[in-house]
Amino acid sequence: MERKALVFIREKFEGQSVVGAEVGVARGTNALCILKCMPNLRLLYLIDPYEHYPDWTSTRAKDRLYWPKDLRLIKYQAQQLLSPFESRIAWINKFFEVCTIKDIEPLDFIYIDGNHACDYVLKDIAVARNIVKKGGVISGHDFHPDSPSPDSDEVYKAVTTYCQKNNVSFSHEYEDWWFIN
Ligand SMILES: C[S@@+](CC[C@H](N)C(=O)[O-])C[C@H]1O[C@@H](n2cnc3c(N)ncnc32)[C@H](O)[C@@H]1O
């Protein structure tokens, strides 16, 4: 199913040549949906280190699904799933917080779905603001105040704190949030 922020992005950039990124790709199912739904998406950066690290404390990271051997399998599955779109994707196997404009060209949109811990989402938003063009869209997943979970509580805290502190007006619908850079 196409996610709400991505519907907004698709409608905003309809008919234009677009460059975007997903932070946190996992098996690539959401990336596949983005590529299929937006034929005018010229390039999608796929940013995911596929590495386990102590700071990654999201609920799923703690369970077996994201153990190192499973991360290798997930990476392989994503590569296979997205291989038909080879000419429209660029893999960046790095932690997003160390990415700069040297790694990624200026973006029309970004979709953040990596480490859901509040500090990481705050870092992701700060990095995204430097990489996304003015007037582009910064967005992400797991914002659902109506059905809280440990992950969504962290995302909620990060997005609301950042936006309040920086006087940014944001939108949210179902499980997604977004604002214009
Ligand atoms: C929730 S999953 C992504 C799901 C995917 N967006 C989807 O909807 O199909 C989280 C992913 O974030 C990646 N990740 C964890 N920490 C990250 C970081 N600091 N930077 C980028 N990606 C990260 C993990 O390797 C994992 O694959």
Side-chain angles (χ1 to χ4, degrees), residues 133-149:
K133 298 173 196 170
K134 287 279 164 260
V137 181
I138 297 178
S139 67
H141 192 45
D142 282 303
F143 185 101
H144 28 104
D146 298 335
S147 52
S149 69

Side-chain angles (χ1 to χ4, degrees), residues 3 22 24-26 29-30 48-49 53 56 66 95-97 113-114:
R3 297 199 180 150
E22 182 177 42
V25 181
T29 45
N30 187 52
D48 198 315
Y53 57 103
W56 187 19
Y66 286 143
F95 294 96
F96 182 55
E97 59 274 19
D113 191 16

Side-chain angles (χ1 to χ4, degrees):
M1 192 186 71
E2 193 180 15
R3 297 199 180 150
K4 298 299 180 189
L6 296 160
V7 172
F8 174 81
I9 289 163
R10 176 171 52 74
E11 289 175 352
K12 178 176 167 60
F13 293 111
E14 200 157 3
Q16 300 175 41
S17 173
V18 172
V19 183
E22 182 177 42
V23 176
V25 181
R27 288 195 168 81
T29 45
N30 187 52
L32 179 68
C33 181
I34 300 173
L35 287 157
K36 282 185 173 171
C37 292
M38 284 184 75
N40 56 325
L41 178 58
R42 175 173 65 78
L43 187 64
L44 181 65
Y45 286 91
L46 300 167
I47 304 159
D48 198 315
Y50 290 101
E51 265 182 48
H52 219 297
Y53 57 103
D55 251 12
W56 187 19
T57 54
S58 85
T59 42
R60 283 205 215 153
K62 276 192 239 158
D63 69 30
R64 198 182 164 280
L65 182 65
Y66 286 143
W67 282 6
K69 133 167 108 50
D70 299 303
L71 277 170
R72 280 197 295 279
L73 178 64
I74 287 167
K75 181 180 181 182
Y76 175 75
Q77 288 172 340
Q79 287 167 337
Q80 295 298 305
L81 186 70
L82 301 173
S83 63
F85 296 91
E86 214 168 57
S87 62
R88 292 171 59 209
I89 57 177
W91 281 101
I92 304 212
N93 293 131
K94 285 173 82 164
F95 294 96
F96 182 55
E97 59 274 19
V98 300
C99 289
T100 68
I101 44 168
K102 288 185 187 146
D103 304 296
I104 305 166
E105 68 185 280
L107 300 172
D108 296 297
F109 75 89
I110 197 159
Y111 188 77
I112 297 170
D113 191 16
N115 187 331
H116 291 54
C118 179
D119 285 351
Y120 274 83
V121 179
L122 287 170
K123 280 192 246 180
D124 289 348
I125 295 173
V127 174
R129 291 207 80 173
N130 288 326
I131 297 176
V132 172
K133 298 173 196 170
K134 287 279 164 260
V137 181
I138 297 178
S139 67
H141 192 45
D142 282 303
F143 185 101
H144 28 104
D146 298 335
S147 52
S149 69
D151 281 5
S152 68
D153 286 353
E154 291 285 305
V155 175
Y156 178 81
K157 191 163 72 175
V159 174
T160 52
T161 305
Y162 183 89
C163 290
Q164 217 164 35
K165 209 167 153 184
N166 293 279
N167 206 18
V168 168
S169 156
F170 75 97
S171 303
H172 67 95
E173 195 178 338
Y174 191 47
E175 297 183 329
D176 280 358
W177 59 271
W178 64 89
F179 64 81
I180 304 290
N181 198 23

